[in-house]
Amino acid sequence: MTDFFKGIPAIRYEGPQSKNDFAFRHYDPDEIVMGKRLEDHLRFALAWWHSFAWPGGDPFGGATFERPWFGDTMDLARMKADVAFELFAILGQPYFCFHDADVRPAGDSFSETTRNLEEMVDYIGQKMEAGGPRLLWGTANLFTDRRFMAGAATNPDPDVFAYSAATVKTCMDATLKLGGENYVLWGGREGYETLLNTDLKRERGNAGRFLQMVVEYKHKIGFKGAILVEPKPQEPSKHQYDYDVATVYGFLKEFGLEDEVKMNIEQGHAILAGHSFEHELAMAASLGILGSIDMNRNDYQSGWDTDQFPNNAPEVALAYYEILKAGGFATGGTNFDAKLRRQSLDPADLVLAHVGAMDICARGLKAAAQMLEDGSLEEARKERYKGWDTDTAHAHLAGGLEGCFDYIVENNVSPDARSGRQERLENLINRFV
Ligand code: XLS
Ligand code: NI
Ligand code: NI
């Protein structure tokens, strides 16, 4: 037991009228929404990296957090795990996520690094057995160390490709051992800074082969979870290959992986790609590859991935609307890939950031459920497309250009414009959020 969160109570649901900062107002894990417990809908996960490993740096300044577990020893890694499980106990969320580099110190060799990881996996496993949350997903950090500065799977140096593949093997082993429900690949530096020194065709080909190797290994070890790719358009690389959901889907098709890999979609990355979060979710759902979400938000004034905790109810509601409409999460969940502001130094700040985020997601999901149950939005959508339910419309699709030509000419058709009714629908949404 550390004393990091000393004096901070376990957070309970007290209802919207509560004046207690350390309480949930909207997140009652046992509340039944659309026939299912709220906890089972939302499947919250804490991210080890931002909450326990991120030191609070920005491009102009270094660490602000100075946590007592910062440093590269196994003892400190165990202290970090102890603190993590203390926060898990305070929040009571059902899942967490981690990269290898978040939980273990690097060793002097690959073998020592792997041993450190295995030891920490055992340590974390014991804590999970003692009643801690489960593992939503594991992943490999293939972007922080300088050896990955020109990419991991897309590095011009084949040894970096092999080193990355070996690292992913150890991380998939760790994820399997801890009963993880998914394995995530975010292409940290899988992209380029300049085309002048880049063999784009080779890099994309190697990235495709790398992902095939991940899928082959998944089947070999009998990992039953989902393999998820997390799209992001730029940052840290100027241009990243996994730009957005649609781009990644084309990539999966090219390498025959569209039935093997789903998406982990992050709100901030959707914004960076010039989309809304709900666009990316709807796109993935329509392609049958919606897996899991990283729930954060970007600052609309800064142009980078600021990874702030979510606090905008309408945005969150529209995101969960797409998720519920698609049938909800299967193996996925809501991972808070979100960090504090660097001035938020206190342990209480870390707790309250998560309390607020969990509450806003609960509010958003409940609003989304009401919107679905009310049905007006879907009715309006159906009405807009009802022409497509007719035999005449099916004949347009079957008839080719000439069939359409004949139809238009023979019937002297001159279609009129119809209102999209956007304001009416926006007003409708605002009744629920
Ligand atoms: C960075 C990504 C990262 C992934 C996991 O922008 O969001 O945190 O989720 O590697
Ligand atoms: Ni991100
Ligand atoms: Ni993420």
mmCIF file of all heavy atoms in Angstrom, residues 4-12 22 24 83-93 347 351 355 358:
data_model
loop_
_atom_site.group_PDB
_atom_site.id
_atom_site.type_symbol
_atom_site.label_atom_id
_atom_site.label_comp_id
_atom_site.label_asym_id
_atom_site.label_seq_id
_atom_site.Cartn_x
_atom_site.Cartn_y
_atom_site.Cartn_z
ATOM 1 N N PHE A 4 0.070 7.418 -1.808
ATOM 2 C CA PHE A 4 -0.076 8.450 -2.840
ATOM 3 C C PHE A 4 -1.473 9.082 -2.830
ATOM 4 O O PHE A 4 -1.615 10.288 -2.940
ATOM 5 C CB PHE A 4 0.245 7.858 -4.221
ATOM 6 C CG PHE A 4 0.302 8.909 -5.298
ATOM 7 C CD1 PHE A 4 1.324 9.840 -5.337
ATOM 8 C CD2 PHE A 4 -0.690 8.978 -6.265
ATOM 9 C CE1 PHE A 4 1.377 10.824 -6.314
ATOM 10 C CE2 PHE A 4 -0.650 9.964 -7.264
ATOM 11 C CZ PHE A 4 0.384 10.885 -7.288
ATOM 12 N N PHE A 5 -2.481 8.244 -2.724
ATOM 13 C CA PHE A 5 -3.866 8.768 -2.775
ATOM 14 C C PHE A 5 -4.456 8.931 -1.367
ATOM 15 O O PHE A 5 -5.685 8.874 -1.196
ATOM 16 C CB PHE A 5 -4.752 7.832 -3.608
ATOM 17 C CG PHE A 5 -4.400 7.818 -5.077
ATOM 18 C CD1 PHE A 5 -3.828 6.692 -5.657
ATOM 19 C CD2 PHE A 5 -4.640 8.927 -5.876
ATOM 20 C CE1 PHE A 5 -3.500 6.675 -7.009
ATOM 21 C CE2 PHE A 5 -4.308 8.911 -7.234
ATOM 22 C CZ PHE A 5 -3.741 7.789 -7.799
ATOM 23 N N LYS A 6 -3.576 9.131 -0.394
ATOM 24 C CA LYS A 6 -4.005 9.210 1.004
ATOM 25 C C LYS A 6 -5.189 10.181 1.189
ATOM 26 O O LYS A 6 -5.163 11.311 0.691
ATOM 27 C CB LYS A 6 -2.824 9.696 1.857
ATOM 28 C CG LYS A 6 -2.988 9.431 3.340
ATOM 29 C CD LYS A 6 -1.708 9.739 4.091
ATOM 30 C CE LYS A 6 -1.344 11.192 3.876
ATOM 31 N NZ LYS A 6 0.015 11.566 4.070
ATOM 32 N N GLY A 7 -6.218 9.717 1.868
ATOM 33 C CA GLY A 7 -7.359 10.600 2.174
ATOM 34 C C GLY A 7 -8.403 10.671 1.079
ATOM 35 O O GLY A 7 -9.442 11.305 1.258
ATOM 36 N N ILE A 8 -8.120 10.046 -0.081
ATOM 37 C CA ILE A 8 -9.112 10.103 -1.165
ATOM 38 C C ILE A 8 -10.000 8.857 -1.084
ATOM 39 O O ILE A 8 -9.497 7.729 -1.094
ATOM 40 C CB ILE A 8 -8.419 10.201 -2.540
ATOM 41 C CG1 ILE A 8 -7.637 11.522 -2.600
ATOM 42 C CG2 ILE A 8 -9.444 10.112 -3.671
ATOM 43 C CD1 ILE A 8 -6.896 11.768 -3.887
ATOM 44 N N PRO A 9 -11.303 9.047 -0.990
ATOM 45 C CA PRO A 9 -12.200 7.898 -0.795
ATOM 46 C C PRO A 9 -12.491 7.175 -2.098
ATOM 47 O O PRO A 9 -12.259 7.721 -3.187
ATOM 48 C CB PRO A 9 -13.489 8.578 -0.300
ATOM 49 C CG PRO A 9 -13.475 9.917 -0.979
ATOM 50 C CD PRO A 9 -12.034 10.330 -1.073
ATOM 51 N N ALA A 10 -13.012 5.961 -1.983
ATOM 52 C CA ALA A 10 -13.529 5.255 -3.163
ATOM 53 C C ALA A 10 -14.732 6.045 -3.682
ATOM 54 O O ALA A 10 -15.533 6.562 -2.899
ATOM 55 C CB ALA A 10 -13.936 3.838 -2.787
ATOM 56 N N ILE A 11 -14.844 6.143 -4.986
ATOM 57 C CA ILE A 11 -15.900 6.970 -5.582
ATOM 58 C C ILE A 11 -17.177 6.143 -5.723
ATOM 59 O O ILE A 11 -17.152 5.028 -6.250
ATOM 60 C CB ILE A 11 -15.470 7.483 -6.986
ATOM 61 C CG1 ILE A 11 -14.074 8.099 -6.938
ATOM 62 C CG2 ILE A 11 -16.507 8.462 -7.540
ATOM 63 C CD1 ILE A 11 -13.927 9.341 -6.116
ATOM 64 N N ARG A 12 -18.273 6.708 -5.243
ATOM 65 C CA ARG A 12 -19.567 6.022 -5.350
ATOM 66 C C ARG A 12 -20.556 6.897 -6.118
ATOM 67 O O ARG A 12 -20.396 8.104 -6.192
ATOM 68 C CB ARG A 12 -20.153 5.765 -3.957
ATOM 69 C CG ARG A 12 -19.232 5.055 -3.017
ATOM 70 C CD ARG A 12 -19.610 3.584 -2.848
ATOM 71 N NE ARG A 12 -18.666 2.927 -1.977
ATOM 72 C CZ ARG A 12 -17.592 2.239 -2.386
ATOM 73 N NH1 ARG A 12 -17.352 2.112 -3.672
ATOM 74 N NH2 ARG A 12 -16.768 1.683 -1.538
ATOM 75 N N PHE A 22 -16.044 14.063 -4.898
ATOM 76 C CA PHE A 22 -15.559 12.688 -5.033
ATOM 77 C C PHE A 22 -16.738 11.719 -5.117
ATOM 78 O O PHE A 22 -16.862 10.796 -4.313
ATOM 79 C CB PHE A 22 -14.611 12.347 -3.872
ATOM 80 C CG PHE A 22 -13.341 13.139 -3.950
ATOM 81 C CD1 PHE A 22 -13.232 14.379 -3.313
ATOM 82 C CD2 PHE A 22 -12.259 12.673 -4.687
ATOM 83 C CE1 PHE A 22 -12.072 15.135 -3.408
ATOM 84 C CE2 PHE A 22 -11.091 13.425 -4.780
ATOM 85 C CZ PHE A 22 -11.002 14.653 -4.148
ATOM 86 N N PHE A 24 -19.803 10.054 -8.187
ATOM 87 C CA PHE A 24 -20.387 10.059 -9.533
ATOM 88 C C PHE A 24 -21.789 10.642 -9.456
ATOM 89 O O PHE A 24 -22.555 10.330 -8.535
ATOM 90 C CB PHE A 24 -20.479 8.630 -10.091
ATOM 91 C CG PHE A 24 -19.141 7.975 -10.321
ATOM 92 C CD1 PHE A 24 -18.832 6.763 -9.692
ATOM 93 C CD2 PHE A 24 -18.201 8.525 -11.187
ATOM 94 C CE1 PHE A 24 -17.606 6.142 -9.906
ATOM 95 C CE2 PHE A 24 -16.966 7.902 -11.402
ATOM 96 C CZ PHE A 24 -16.675 6.714 -10.760
ATOM 97 N N VAL A 83 0.498 1.839 -7.222
ATOM 98 C CA VAL A 83 -0.289 3.083 -7.286
ATOM 99 C C VAL A 83 -1.421 2.932 -8.304
ATOM 100 O O VAL A 83 -2.554 3.365 -8.064
ATOM 101 C CB VAL A 83 0.628 4.284 -7.635
ATOM 102 C CG1 VAL A 83 -0.198 5.519 -7.967
ATOM 103 C CG2 VAL A 83 1.578 4.570 -6.486
ATOM 104 N N ALA A 84 -1.102 2.302 -9.441
ATOM 105 C CA ALA A 84 -2.131 2.119 -10.470
ATOM 106 C C ALA A 84 -3.316 1.351 -9.897
ATOM 107 O O ALA A 84 -4.476 1.764 -10.035
ATOM 108 C CB ALA A 84 -1.547 1.379 -11.673
ATOM 109 N N PHE A 85 -3.039 0.256 -9.212
ATOM 110 C CA PHE A 85 -4.146 -0.548 -8.675
ATOM 111 C C PHE A 85 -4.864 0.170 -7.542
ATOM 112 O O PHE A 85 -6.048 -0.101 -7.286
ATOM 113 C CB PHE A 85 -3.668 -1.955 -8.292
ATOM 114 C CG PHE A 85 -3.652 -2.877 -9.486
ATOM 115 C CD1 PHE A 85 -2.627 -2.833 -10.412
ATOM 116 C CD2 PHE A 85 -4.722 -3.739 -9.732
ATOM 117 C CE1 PHE A 85 -2.630 -3.645 -11.551
ATOM 118 C CE2 PHE A 85 -4.741 -4.555 -10.857
ATOM 119 C CZ PHE A 85 -3.692 -4.508 -11.766
ATOM 120 N N GLU A 86 -4.170 1.089 -6.859
ATOM 121 C CA GLU A 86 -4.871 1.900 -5.855
ATOM 122 C C GLU A 86 -5.856 2.860 -6.532
ATOM 123 O O GLU A 86 -6.976 3.045 -6.057
ATOM 124 C CB GLU A 86 -3.852 2.656 -4.989
ATOM 125 C CG GLU A 86 -3.186 1.718 -3.967
ATOM 126 C CD GLU A 86 -1.882 2.245 -3.392
ATOM 127 O OE1 GLU A 86 -1.624 3.458 -3.490
ATOM 128 O OE2 GLU A 86 -1.115 1.420 -2.848
ATOM 129 N N LEU A 87 -5.455 3.435 -7.673
ATOM 130 C CA LEU A 87 -6.398 4.300 -8.394
ATOM 131 C C LEU A 87 -7.563 3.460 -8.948
ATOM 132 O O LEU A 87 -8.721 3.893 -8.912
ATOM 133 C CB LEU A 87 -5.689 5.051 -9.538
ATOM 134 C CG LEU A 87 -6.585 5.997 -10.345
ATOM 135 C CD1 LEU A 87 -7.244 7.053 -9.460
ATOM 136 C CD2 LEU A 87 -5.799 6.683 -11.471
ATOM 137 N N PHE A 88 -7.244 2.267 -9.440
ATOM 138 C CA PHE A 88 -8.315 1.391 -9.954
ATOM 139 C C PHE A 88 -9.344 1.106 -8.848
ATOM 140 O O PHE A 88 -10.550 1.087 -9.092
ATOM 141 C CB PHE A 88 -7.758 0.057 -10.468
ATOM 142 C CG PHE A 88 -6.741 0.179 -11.592
ATOM 143 C CD1 PHE A 88 -5.903 -0.885 -11.901
ATOM 144 C CD2 PHE A 88 -6.622 1.348 -12.336
ATOM 145 C CE1 PHE A 88 -4.976 -0.794 -12.939
ATOM 146 C CE2 PHE A 88 -5.689 1.454 -13.376
ATOM 147 C CZ PHE A 88 -4.863 0.378 -13.672
ATOM 148 N N ALA A 89 -8.832 0.889 -7.632
ATOM 149 C CA ALA A 89 -9.751 0.581 -6.523
ATOM 150 C C ALA A 89 -10.617 1.801 -6.183
ATOM 151 O O ALA A 89 -11.789 1.663 -5.830
ATOM 152 C CB ALA A 89 -8.961 0.129 -5.299
ATOM 153 N N ILE A 90 -10.042 2.977 -6.310
ATOM 154 C CA ILE A 90 -10.804 4.203 -6.015
ATOM 155 C C ILE A 90 -11.918 4.398 -7.049
ATOM 156 O O ILE A 90 -13.049 4.747 -6.724
ATOM 157 C CB ILE A 90 -9.857 5.426 -5.990
ATOM 158 C CG1 ILE A 90 -8.974 5.383 -4.742
ATOM 159 C CG2 ILE A 90 -10.638 6.742 -6.046
ATOM 160 C CD1 ILE A 90 -7.856 6.423 -4.725
ATOM 161 N N LEU A 91 -11.594 4.151 -8.323
ATOM 162 C CA LEU A 91 -12.554 4.431 -9.397
ATOM 163 C C LEU A 91 -13.489 3.259 -9.678
ATOM 164 O O LEU A 91 -14.608 3.444 -10.147
ATOM 165 C CB LEU A 91 -11.807 4.803 -10.683
ATOM 166 C CG LEU A 91 -11.022 6.124 -10.620
ATOM 167 C CD1 LEU A 91 -10.116 6.259 -11.838
ATOM 168 C CD2 LEU A 91 -11.965 7.319 -10.535
ATOM 169 N N GLY A 92 -12.993 2.048 -9.467
ATOM 170 C CA GLY A 92 -13.828 0.864 -9.670
ATOM 171 C C GLY A 92 -14.147 0.570 -11.128
ATOM 172 O O GLY A 92 -15.111 -0.135 -11.432
ATOM 173 N N GLN A 93 -13.338 1.073 -12.056
ATOM 174 C CA GLN A 93 -13.593 0.801 -13.487
ATOM 175 C C GLN A 93 -13.197 -0.645 -13.808
ATOM 176 O O GLN A 93 -12.317 -1.194 -13.157
ATOM 177 C CB GLN A 93 -12.847 1.820 -14.358
ATOM 178 C CG GLN A 93 -11.466 1.416 -14.834
ATOM 179 C CD GLN A 93 -10.422 1.361 -13.723
ATOM 180 O OE1 GLN A 93 -10.646 1.784 -12.606
ATOM 181 N NE2 GLN A 93 -9.246 0.799 -14.033
ATOM 182 N N PRO A 347 -2.580 14.403 -6.657
ATOM 183 C CA PRO A 347 -3.234 13.095 -6.839
ATOM 184 C C PRO A 347 -4.742 13.252 -7.048
ATOM 185 O O PRO A 347 -5.336 12.538 -7.863
ATOM 186 C CB PRO A 347 -2.923 12.359 -5.532
ATOM 187 C CG PRO A 347 -1.642 12.979 -5.051
ATOM 188 C CD PRO A 347 -1.680 14.416 -5.480
ATOM 189 N N VAL A 351 -7.574 11.698 -9.958
ATOM 190 C CA VAL A 351 -8.829 11.015 -9.633
ATOM 191 C C VAL A 351 -10.015 11.752 -10.267
ATOM 192 O O VAL A 351 -10.849 11.164 -10.962
ATOM 193 C CB VAL A 351 -9.015 10.922 -8.100
ATOM 194 C CG1 VAL A 351 -10.381 10.356 -7.755
ATOM 195 C CG2 VAL A 351 -7.899 10.093 -7.474
ATOM 196 N N VAL A 355 -13.126 10.825 -12.768
ATOM 197 C CA VAL A 355 -14.520 10.883 -12.282
ATOM 198 C C VAL A 355 -15.366 11.679 -13.277
ATOM 199 O O VAL A 355 -16.449 11.249 -13.700
ATOM 200 C CB VAL A 355 -14.581 11.525 -10.876
ATOM 201 C CG1 VAL A 355 -16.020 11.811 -10.471
ATOM 202 C CG2 VAL A 355 -13.907 10.617 -9.853
ATOM 203 N N MET A 358 -15.802 9.758 -16.606
ATOM 204 C CA MET A 358 -16.737 8.629 -16.516
ATOM 205 C C MET A 358 -18.169 9.147 -16.452
ATOM 206 O O MET A 358 -19.084 8.600 -17.071
ATOM 207 C CB MET A 358 -16.388 7.763 -15.286
ATOM 208 C CG MET A 358 -15.076 7.000 -15.479
ATOM 209 S SD MET A 358 -14.315 6.415 -13.946
ATOM 210 C CE MET A 358 -15.204 4.878 -13.670
#
